[in-house]
Amino acid sequence: MKKILITGGVGFIGSHVVRLFVNKYPDVQIMNLDALTYAGNLENLRDIENAANYTFIKGDITDQDFIERLFATHDFSGVIHLAAESHVDRSIEDPLLFIRTNIIGTMNLLNACRNSWKSFEGKRFYHISTDEVYGSLGDEGLFTEATPYDPKSPYSASKASSDHLVRAYRNTYKLPVVISNCSNNYGPNQFPEKLIPLSINNLKHSKQIPVYGKGENIRDWLYVEDHADAIDRVYHQGADGETYNIGGNNEWKNIDLIRLLCKIMDKKLDRKPGTSAGLITFVKDRAGHDLRYAIDSSKISRELGWQPSLTFEEGLEKTVDWYLENNKWLHNVTSGAYVEYYRKMYKE
Ligand code: NAD
Ligand code: DAU
């Protein structure tokens, strides 16, 4: 049986990718490698954990010996690499962790592919990356695959560095690779430190929603299952050595997005219109806060036939419903060690 290694598969995006692959490719063994950091949650895949073609492996991509042993034991036909430290605010607090996981971890995987794959025929290393590597846009323009890299936070610098390593391994060792750079994802299973789930969780508990600066920063939002579909296409149909930008064509100023979310929450929680918006609180801006991200995803659309399937309103409503229905999940991930961090960041 063919084996694909997916890293970071119990995290937010990874869990949707693993579920899609396990259900869609019953003849392929999907091996999910995850260190179970604060962001990794086995609950995210309870529904498929007993599937015959699914295996979970707890392990750390920064542990070189472990990664080498793993690749010596299994002949993976491909790697879909999502494991990372993913939150910009945390990278501002602890950049070294991001360097270790996102750069060293990626290099360990690249080395393991290079050293263990006897032939590169039929093999593929797929790196899941971010639009943040391109830096920040002004009022005009979109990031294309040709936009020069200009990362501005420790997180985006670590992702840019790992992208460069992936391309360097293709150029130097002919490793078959593909990269995609995606915009902001939202949907079920996202840890409630990111803007949308944090705001839903706070509103649910009638707590303030912290909006950085004046809320004028712009992000391009994509429903996570649409990203998983794009990843499936890039993995199976993307051309060797290519990069694909993935985005929702769906730009929102943070404050406008929060106002829309507040309206949905008032309706869902049966609160008087305007109740949730009353909890909006402008707080100190993020250091070095990128102003605007916007993606030109015409290449993946033209070459691989991919399009986002949901409107933002549909996706946001589905997301709110999921968080309101999954009380236990929310409670579990917001209690314990996370509470400490959460308090430190002044978000309560
Ligand atoms: P996440 O933080 O929700 O999940 C990351 C997962 O990686 C977790 O399950 C965690 O346990 C695991 N992990 C962390 N360190 C590890 C290590 N050393 N060894 C093994 N596993 C480890 O992240 P996400 O939002 O799902 O993002 C997944 C990937 O997609 C990341 O590479 C991120 O840069 C990229 N990305 C994210 C977004 C977004 O909007 N969230 C957008 C574009 C690209
Ligand atoms: O663009 C893709 C990137 O999107 C991914 O690579 C990252 O992994 C992912 O975390 C995300 O980064 P952002 O920094 O854009 O996402 P976040 O949800 O942290 O913030 C979205 C916007 O909202 C950003 O402008 C900062 C702002 N914000 C965020 C938080 C957490 C607030 O105003 N208040 C908040 O409390």
Side-chain angles (χ1 to χ4, degrees):
M1 205 174 186
K2 226 174 168 182
K3 289 179 186 169
I4 297 177
L5 180 70
I6 300 184
T7 70
V10 291
F12 167 47
I13 302 170
S15 61
H16 293 274
V17 176
V18 167
R19 179 178 296 102
L20 176 71
F21 274 63
V22 165
N23 290 332
K24 192 168 170 184
Y25 303 107
D27 297 336
V28 179
Q29 188 67 25
I30 303 304
M31 308 198 69
N32 177 2
L33 169 66
D34 198 296
L36 299 181
T37 69
Y38 77 97
N41 186 346
L42 290 168
E43 289 301 319
N44 293 344
L45 287 175
R46 278 286 176 242
D47 55 323
I48 56 110
E49 69 182 3
N50 294 321
N53 65 332
Y54 176 67
T55 311
F56 177 74
I57 306 161
K58 183 175 183 303
D60 187 336
I61 57 168
T62 67
D63 181 344
Q64 189 185 347
D65 292 343
F66 164 75
I67 293 295
E68 277 173 12
R69 281 197 308 274
L70 181 71
F71 277 73
T73 314
H74 301 280
D75 182 22
F76 299 115
S77 60
V79 176
I80 305 180
H81 176 37
L82 295 106
E85 286 295 334
S86 68
H87 192 46
V88 174
D89 292 329
R90 286 180 189 252
S91 82
I92 295 167
E93 298 287 311
D94 185 4
L96 185 57
L97 175 64
F98 284 66
I99 303 311
R100 285 201 193 102
T101 303
N102 299 357
I103 306 178
I104 307 286
T106 302
M107 199 189 67
N108 285 338
L109 291 166
L110 289 165
N111 278 335
C113 294
R114 178 186 162 221
N115 295 331
S116 73
W117 286 345
K118 292 185 185 69
S119 148
F120 291 164
E121 188 65 37
K123 304 285 194 190
R124 165 153 280 188
F125 183 91
Y126 178 8
H127 187 226
I128 308 302
S129 192
T130 169
D131 61 355
E132 299 197 11
V133 298
Y134 299 121
S136 181
L137 291 164
D139 292 339
E140 300 287 314
L142 301 171
F143 296 135
T144 73
E145 288 80 1
T147 302
Y149 274 33
D150 186 18
K152 291 177 182 299
S153 73
Y155 163 70
S156 54
S158 70
K159 292 297 289 188
S161 175
S162 50
D163 285 2
H164 287 321
L165 277 170
V166 172
R167 294 196 180 97
Y169 271 62
R170 180 171 190 273
N171 182 62
T172 312
Y173 310 112
K174 313 293 172 226
L175 196 74
V177 305
V178 66
I179 297 178
S180 59
N181 297 81
C182 188
S183 64
N184 287 61
N185 284 220
Y186 70 100
N189 300 351
Q190 188 169 32
F191 195 82
E193 63 186 347
K194 308 274 172 29
L195 181 66
I196 291 180
L198 173 83
S199 303
I200 296 173
N201 191 35
N202 282 15
L203 287 174
K204 191 175 154 193
H205 295 103
S206 295
K207 289 181 185 156
Q208 293 177 337
I209 331 171
V211 174
Y212 297 163
K214 294 183 179 152
E216 283 177 351
N217 303 69
I218 294 174
R219 298 291 183 266
D220 169 6
W221 295 92
L222 178 68
Y223 192 68
V224 63
E225 287 179 359
D226 281 330
H227 188 191
D229 173 36
I231 288 173
D232 180 22
R233 287 172 198 249
V234 172
Y235 182 75
H236 288 102
Q237 302 160 40
D240 182 43
E242 287 295 312
T243 295
Y244 297 88
N245 278 358
I246 305 169
N249 198 16
N250 177 42
E251 288 181 54
W252 284 80
K253 244 185 208 174
N254 291 340
I255 188 64
D256 295 337
L257 183 163
I258 291 299
R259 290 207 173 102
L260 172 64
L261 184 64
C262 285
K263 272 195 200 148
I264 297 176
M265 290 296 284
D266 282 346
K267 201 174 76 190
K268 297 278 176 193
L269 296 172
D270 214 9
R271 289 179 180 164
K272 211 171 112 213
T275 309
S276 296
L279 291 164
I280 294 173
T281 310
F282 294 96
V283 300
K284 190 167 171 271
D285 209 352
R286 173 184 279 172
H289 196 171
D290 288 342
L291 178 65
R292 175 173 167 255
Y293 306 144
I295 279 273
D296 175 350
S297 53
S298 56
K299 178 175 172 182
I300 186 170
S301 156
R302 195 176 54 247
E303 296 185 8
L304 307 183
W306 176 85
Q307 292 284 355
S309 69
L310 291 184
T311 66
F312 191 46
E313 285 74 5
E314 286 166 345
L316 205 51
E317 193 158 338
K318 266 173 87 121
T319 303
V320 168
D321 286 342
W322 188 86
Y323 281 95
L324 294 182
E325 281 159 17
N326 287 272
N327 279 316
K328 195 167 153 232
W329 186 97
L330 253 187
H331 173 76
N332 286 347
V333 300
T334 51
S335 53
Y338 178 60
V339 169
E340 187 89 338
Y341 169 80
Y342 188 75
R343 293 216 173 102
K344 213 171 100 204
M345 299 293 287
Y346 307 107
K347 286 184 181 160
E348 278 194 305

